[in-house]
Amino acid sequence: MNLAENIYLKVFGNTAFPGVLTYIAIAVIFYIVLHSTGKLIEKKSDIIAEKLFRNQNDNIKNAISKSLARPVKMFVQASGMLAAFLIIPFSADFAAVADTFAVKIYRIALIAIVGMLAVNLIDSIQYFSKKFENNENETLLMFFIKIGKVLVIFLAGAIILKEIGFDVTGLLASLGLGGVVLALAAQDTASNLFSGIVILFDKPFAVGDWISVAGMEGVVEEMSFRSCRIRTFDNALIAVPNSKLGGDSVTNWTKMNVRKTRITIGLVYGTKKDTLQKVCDEIKANLLKYDSIKKDNIMVWFDNFNASSLDIVIQYHTYLTGAADYFALKEEIQYMIMDVVEANKTDFAFNTQTIIIDNQ
């Protein structure tokens, strides 16, 4: 008996070669059918979700579709692979080892697939309630979604390690022995984590808010376990540790109800008192016409005898707190001030100095 015949007998026993080929062909066809079925399910997942959850809104149906599509596909394909493997007529001795190994791989794959499904569902929680539609609740939710995903991945990893044969209890015990070292090394991480949790519950700001803290100013793009990412108005991205945010004062410009504007203009010294008073009155009257300006906080007054000008201060509060709207209104008002000054036949003062020479 040659080597090839010996290997054949150990793997397939006394089953004739044509019979083995038939079973292998059936196994391949079976696998191809289930593999294609899995891909089809993934492709048509939105249609399946539409039929099964027709009473839910589109966001929920899309979330369910995306969460289930890939895990279901992988489950069908893995099941097809295991079934195809078990169809092949191995000898009793070889099957005892091969089937056990195949089932072990299948169990590990199932654990990974369930973990993926759990991560996807956790990621889709935000679509299942209207409570998470505002920025503050969404920021808090996204933080806990990240924690939930990490816990699921850790748990799935521990179960897979146990399935492979690792002593997970012993591993956790060894981590316990090194807990002091880890605690010392992770003080900053722990500080950032707890500061992040405090920030999320206190809600001084949310993703999308315009804030300034510790000399930095910009829009909050993301919050993580360790830091908050702020996009500055120069388009730079700054990662600020949560512990710094928790220990420093934060100004949230997005939370402004009204925005204050103070403009100082200087008129030439040749301006008469009546003209000066008329300029102030007309500017105030024009400001009262704007619906976007708070009426009871408008102030226009002759403020100071400056070195080269008669200074008038214009102060008002506007409900337009967004940068684009705010500066557009400010520009419009400054044009209005120029028109009032021109209409009253006076002018803006230059920074000048008069020198008197004594001829004596």
Side-chain angles (χ1 to χ4, degrees):
M1 182 181 295
N2 59 35
L3 180 61
E5 289 176 343
N6 190 28
I7 293 174
Y8 181 86
L9 286 173
K10 285 185 177 180
V11 176
F12 298 108
N14 296 320
T15 306
F17 184 66
V20 170
L21 285 180
T22 302
Y23 278 110
I24 290 176
I26 294 171
V28 170
I29 293 171
F30 193 82
Y31 171 71
I32 290 173
V33 169
L34 286 180
H35 184 82
S36 302
T37 302
K39 293 182 73 173
L40 182 63
I41 290 173
E42 182 183 34
K43 189 175 180 180
K44 301 295 184 181
S45 60
D46 53 341
I47 299 175
I48 296 171
E50 178 71 34
K51 292 184 179 296
L52 293 177
F53 304 97
R54 63 183 63 183
N55 295 326
Q56 302 296 334
N57 64 49
D58 290 338
N59 285 338
I60 293 178
K61 283 185 282 193
N62 290 336
I64 292 173
S65 172
K66 291 178 180 178
S67 298
L68 295 178
R70 195 173 180 191
V72 170
K73 180 195 78 170
M74 294 177 68
F75 169 73
V76 172
Q77 291 178 344
S79 300
M81 188 177 293
L82 176 66
F85 188 83
L86 295 177
I87 287 172
I88 300 173
F90 295 116
S91 65
D93 292 339
F94 188 82
V97 177
D99 291 356
T100 302
F101 179 77
V103 170
K104 177 75 71 175
I105 295 297
Y106 180 70
R107 285 166 62 92
I108 292 171
L110 281 185
I111 295 167
I113 290 169
V114 171
M116 180 189 296
L117 176 61
V119 167
N120 290 349
L121 289 174
I122 289 172
D123 214 14
S124 301
I125 288 175
Q126 57 187 310
Y127 300 108
F128 287 84
S129 176
K130 293 183 178 179
K131 294 179 181 179
F132 307 122
E133 289 181 352
N134 65 70
N135 284 344
E136 293 180 352
N137 288 336
E138 184 181 357
T139 303
L140 184 63
L141 176 68
M142 294 307 295
F143 188 84
F144 284 107
I145 280 176
K146 290 179 181 179
I147 293 176
K149 288 161 71 173
V150 168
L151 291 176
V152 168
I153 293 170
F154 178 81
L155 181 61
I159 296 173
I160 289 173
L161 287 175
K162 186 176 181 181
E163 193 68 31
I164 293 172
F166 280 95
D167 183 6
V168 179
T169 306
L171 179 64
L172 293 175
S174 65
L175 289 175
L177 292 174
V180 176
V181 177
L182 289 173
L184 291 173
Q187 280 183 353
D188 288 341
T189 302
S191 175
N192 289 325
L193 174 62
F194 286 112
S195 295
I197 293 173
V198 170
I199 289 169
L200 287 168
F201 277 106
D202 192 40
K203 299 179 181 178
F205 58 85
V207 172
D209 283 357
W210 164 27
I211 68 169
S212 59
V213 57
M216 295 167 287
E217 185 173 355
V219 177
V220 179
E221 280 200 354
E222 182 186 356
M223 287 195 65
S224 66
F225 298 116
R226 181 185 175 279
S227 63
C228 171
R229 299 184 186 278
I230 299 175
R231 179 74 64 180
T232 69
F233 297 115
D234 294 327
N235 206 34
L237 187 64
I238 303 175
V240 184
N242 290 334
S243 57
K244 188 172 185 65
L245 289 172
D248 209 334
S249 59
V250 178
T251 303
N252 190 334
W253 298 105
T254 302
K255 299 296 184 183
M256 290 186 294
N257 294 322
V258 291
R259 191 167 179 177
K260 177 182 173 182
T261 302
R262 184 184 177 100
I263 302 170
T264 300
I265 62 171
L267 301 183
V268 294
Y269 258 100
T271 306
K272 301 297 183 182
K273 174 188 171 184
D274 292 343
T275 303
L276 194 64
Q277 183 65 56
K278 191 176 179 184
V279 168
C280 292
D281 292 342
E282 288 185 11
I283 291 174
K284 186 172 183 179
N286 284 328
L287 288 175
L288 286 168
K289 297 176 183 177
Y290 287 88
D291 293 332
S292 55
I293 291 178
K294 195 175 181 183
K295 300 296 187 290
D296 56 349
N297 284 76
I298 297 173
M299 299 178 69
V300 183
W301 71 93
F302 171 41
D303 182 61
N304 188 31
F305 292 97
N306 210 335
S308 57
S309 63
L310 302 171
D311 289 350
I312 295 175
V313 174
I314 301 104
Q315 183 173 295
Y316 61 88
H317 292 76
T318 174
Y319 299 110
L320 304 178
T321 57
D325 293 335
Y326 169 76
F327 286 114
L329 175 67
K330 185 177 180 182
E331 181 184 47
E332 185 179 340
I333 287 172
Q334 289 179 152
Y335 285 143
M336 177 270 290
I337 293 170
M338 291 178 68
D339 290 339
V340 170
V341 171
E342 184 179 352
N344 284 279
K345 299 185 176 358
T346 183
D347 207 347
F348 296 100
F350 294 101
N351 188 10
T352 59
Q353 187 174 20
T354 302
I355 300 175
I356 299 175
I357 299 175
D358 192 353
N359 292 325
Q360 292 181 354

